[in-house]
Amino acid sequence: MITDMQMAPQVQAVTEPVWLGEGPHWSHDHQALFFVSIFDKTIHKYNPSNGKHTRAKLGDMPGFIIPVEGKLDRFVVGLKRRVVEVQWDGEGGDATVIRELAELDKHSPDNRINDAKADPRGRLFVGTMGHEYEPGKFHLKQGSLYRLERDGSVSRVAQDIDISNGLCWDPQRSAFYYADSFEYAIRRYDYDIDTGNISNPTIIFKYSDHGLDGIVDGMSIDTDGNLWVANFDGSQVLKIDPVKGALLQRVPIPALQTTSVTWGGPALDVLYVTSASMNRGQEQKPPCGSTFKVTGLGARGHPNNNVKL
């Protein structure tokens, strides 16, 4: 008898291609997926109940979009180096910046925000990266990881970062997982849920130990504590046991530049995967740049956290 665990996962493109899709966030309140296209300067919403894909243009490159707790039309968005609150009805048209919450990396004005998530208490963790002066070429060791508290205070919790990526929590194991992409590895930090402090970084998975090409991009965690990691330039998503450092599964995606993942759907058993269509000497034809839904994985995730302001 073939079980769901043994069946091949089903992968389907569900949105139009974009230039650099990133930061997928499944909102339980909206029953919809939000994500950004960084170089297109757009924020996006995908509603699986009717297949509608809407977008709104902003004045600079968005690094992430996360709903504000308790407000269906308010989102926290990273714009270049600024963290702002945006009002958007999700139906396309205009999105309005309401206010600025923080400005990061003032010492390095060409930097940009690359990834962010809210922790289980609704604090915002935001990562930055150095200037990309050619597609795929960056100023290295210029990025940082910051924590923004509800009172507006900002703390830098990691520095000398090439490309800030990943970000997910396992409160049961007091763990925070994070990736500096050009380390080609995943870090585990001890995580204090009461203070939001992270400490004792340890490398728990190296690409080189498993013969993997490409870099570590966005990641999510399932209810068994396994990591699901977008393998940029690898056309796949990786399932990793972070305790044993074991590669459990490879899920092929028909896009070379897989960028990030999140669990969604009413039962949180659909893995949504964003991708890019950047031409770095080779054209990336559709469905590259689409967001994909992957079903039949036999796993499910936790609800994503909104930002509490």
Side-chain angles (χ1 to χ4, degrees):
M1 189 173 83
I2 297 178
T3 68
D4 284 344
M5 291 297 287
Q6 293 168 313
M7 291 170 64
Q10 303 297 304
V11 181
Q12 178 188 354
V14 294
T15 70
E16 300 165 8
V18 298
W19 193 349
L20 177 52
E22 262 286 9
H25 178 104
W26 175 264
S27 169
H28 177 77
D29 296 332
H30 298 84
Q31 285 295 298
L33 182 77
F34 294 89
F35 62 99
V36 303
S37 181
I38 295 174
F39 295 151
D40 293 321
K41 301 182 180 178
T42 47
I43 53 176
H44 295 252
K45 178 186 177 185
Y46 167 68
N47 184 342
S49 68
N50 59 15
K52 193 173 180 184
H53 173 197
T54 53
R55 71 192 76 196
K57 188 103 171 176
L58 294 171
D60 214 328
M61 294 186 288
F64 68 91
I65 177 171
I66 302 172
V68 174
E69 182 75 16
K71 295 181 179 179
L72 286 175
D73 67 340
R74 298 292 177 91
F75 302 86
V76 177
V77 175
L79 278 189
K80 188 72 186 303
R81 291 182 299 102
R82 298 186 302 140
V83 179
V84 299
E85 185 178 358
V86 167
Q87 184 170 21
W88 184 41
D89 64 7
E91 295 303 311
D94 294 330
T96 305
V97 175
I98 301 295
R99 59 176 171 143
E100 180 176 306
L101 303 173
E103 183 182 358
L104 308 178
D105 283 1
K106 294 180 184 179
H107 61 283
S108 194
D110 288 332
N111 281 13
R112 69 169 172 84
I113 290 167
N114 190 59
D115 207 351
K117 291 204 183 133
D119 81 350
R121 291 283 172 86
R123 308 176 188 96
L124 186 67
F125 280 68
V126 185
T128 62
M129 58 181 277
H131 178 54
E132 187 170 5
Y133 54 90
E134 280 180 35
K137 294 185 178 181
F138 311 87
H139 292 307
L140 301 180
K141 304 297 176 198
Q142 297 294 308
S144 297
L145 179 65
Y146 296 92
R147 184 182 68 238
L148 276 66
E149 304 287 354
R150 294 178 70 171
D151 63 6
S153 61
V154 179
S155 305
R156 184 154 68 172
V157 295
Q159 55 190 5
D160 299 322
I161 303 297
D162 291 328
I163 303 179
S164 200
N165 260 315
L167 288 74
C168 56
W169 290 263
D170 187 343
Q172 302 300 316
R173 292 178 175 148
S174 300
F176 168 66
Y177 298 105
Y178 175 71
D180 180 354
S181 289
F182 284 178
E183 274 186 336
Y184 308 99
I186 297 169
R187 302 180 186 180
R188 179 202 186 277
Y189 288 80
D190 293 337
Y191 168 66
D192 185 324
I193 192 168
D194 292 322
T195 64
N197 289 335
I198 61 171
S199 58
N200 301 322
T202 308
I203 298 290
I204 53 98
F205 186 91
K206 288 184 181 178
Y207 271 26
S208 60
D209 291 343
H210 301 271
L212 294 167
D213 295 321
I215 64 171
V216 188
D217 214 316
M219 71 174 107
S220 190
I221 191 167
D222 67 22
T223 54
D224 296 320
N226 295 312
L227 304 178
W228 296 77
V229 182
N231 182 187
F232 186 92
D233 276 347
S235 302
Q236 62 186 348
V237 172
L238 309 172
K239 180 184 181 181
I240 293 166
D241 179 337
V243 177
K244 297 178 180 176
L247 177 58
L248 302 179
Q249 185 178 358
R250 303 175 186 229
V251 181
I253 303 293
L256 177 68
Q257 302 162 355
T258 54
T259 57
S260 193
V261 298
T262 194
W263 292 98
L268 296 172
D269 59 353
V270 177
L271 191 69
Y272 285 102
V273 183
T274 50
S275 71
S277 58
M278 293 188 289
N279 186 334
R280 295 173 298 154
Q282 183 179 358
E283 188 181 356
Q284 303 296 316
K285 296 178 180 177
C288 297
S290 296
T291 295
F292 301 87
K293 76 169 184 179
V294 186
T295 55
L297 290 168
R300 66 185 61 225
H302 303 276
N304 284 320
N305 306 303
N306 294 336
V307 177
K308 293 181 179 175
L309 295 180

